[in-house]
Amino acid sequence: PLSRRSILSISDLADQKIILPSKASAFRPDLERLFIQNNIAPSVLCETSQSDIVIQLASNNLAIGFSSNSIAVRLKNPGCKIVPLEVTLSRPIYYVTHKDMLNYPTVHSFTDFIKDRFQRGIQAYNRLHPRRISPPSNVLRQKETKNSKKNTKILNLTWRM
C-alpha cells in the first residue's frame, strides 16, 4: 500500500512498524523530532544504522526503514521500493583545508572531486523529483569560507536527504 505512493508524509508512518537508525546516527534526532512534532509514537521493530540490514528487513515487508537515497539505490533489491519522505533531513559535510595547502595539486584535485560529487547529487535529486524544476532552495547549500586567523578554508556542503 505505502509502496505504491510517490511520496510519504510522517503521518503516513503512524501505524507502521519502523526501523530507526541507531542512537549514534546523525539522522536519529531529526526523525525523533519529526515524530514528536506530529504526535506519533513510532512502533519500532529495531534500531540499526546498517543499511544492508534496513534494506533486507524492508524488502521482507517487516518494517519501513530510512536511508539516504544514494545508499538505498546502491543496495536496493527487487523486493524493496524507495519512496521519499516529503520532509527533508540534512546531512552537513565539512571539508577543511589549510590555506597553505590550497595550491597543492592533490588538495585541489580532491576539492574538485568533492564539488563534482555534490553537483551529481543535485542532478540525482532532479531525476528523482522530475516534477520539480530544481531542488528547493533549502535543500542544497554550498558555502566556502576562509578563516584567515586559522589559515583554513572550509567547504560546507549540506544535502538535505
Side-chain angles (χ1 to χ4, degrees), residues 9-85:
S9 69
I10 290 296
S11 60
D12 291 331
L13 306 177
D15 298 323
Q16 303 297 317
K17 289 185 181 174
I18 303 293
I19 305 163
L20 278 180
S22 69
K23 290 182 179 167
S25 168
F27 294 120
R28 176 70 176 257
D30 290 336
L31 284 172
E32 287 178 338
R33 180 183 43 80
L34 288 172
F35 285 125
I36 290 168
Q37 287 174 346
N38 289 276
N39 297 316
I40 296 171
S43 173
V44 180
L45 174 73
C46 66
E47 299 177 10
T48 182
S49 291
Q50 297 294 318
S51 300
D52 56 335
I53 293 173
V54 173
I55 297 292
Q56 287 300 316
L57 291 170
S59 296
N60 288 305
N61 212 19
L62 296 174
I64 295 172
F66 301 91
S67 176
S68 65
N69 183 66
S70 60
I71 291 172
V73 168
R74 193 173 329 126
L75 297 176
K76 184 180 174 194
N77 64 40
C80 187
K81 171 102 189 276
I82 300 169
V83 182
L85 278 174

Side-chain angles (χ1 to χ4, degrees), residues 26-148:
F27 294 120
R28 176 70 176 257
D30 290 336
L31 284 172
E32 287 178 338
R33 180 183 43 80
L34 288 172
F35 285 125
I36 290 168
Q37 287 174 346
N38 289 276
N39 297 316
I40 296 171
S43 173
V44 180
L45 174 73
C46 66
E47 299 177 10
T48 182
S49 291
Q50 297 294 318
S51 300
D52 56 335
I53 293 173
V54 173
I55 297 292
Q56 287 300 316
L57 291 170
S59 296
N60 288 305
N61 212 19
L62 296 174
I64 295 172
F66 301 91
S67 176
S68 65
N69 183 66
S70 60
I71 291 172
V73 168
R74 193 173 329 126
L75 297 176
K76 184 180 174 194
N77 64 40
C80 187
K81 171 102 189 276
I82 300 169
V83 182
L85 278 174
E86 67 182 4
V87 177
T88 57
L89 303 174
S90 64
R91 177 185 282 182
I93 300 168
Y94 299 97
Y95 167 51
V96 181
T97 307
H98 192 276
K99 132 176 143 174
D100 292 341
M101 298 181 73
L102 288 175
N103 292 326
Y104 281 45
T106 52
V107 171
H108 186 70
S109 177
F110 184 71
T111 302
D112 288 346
F113 170 78
I114 295 297
K115 289 180 179 179
D116 178 64
R117 294 295 291 182
F118 186 72
Q119 290 301 318
R120 287 182 190 199
I122 293 170
Q123 292 166 358
Y125 181 93
N126 288 334
R127 281 192 302 275
L128 284 171
H129 303 283
R131 288 183 230 128
R132 294 183 180 165
I133 295 171
S134 62
S137 60
N138 69 334
V139 169
L140 303 166
R141 207 171 44 230
Q142 179 175 335
K143 178 181 171 187
E144 282 190 43
T145 56
K146 292 181 181 177
N147 185 332
S148 57

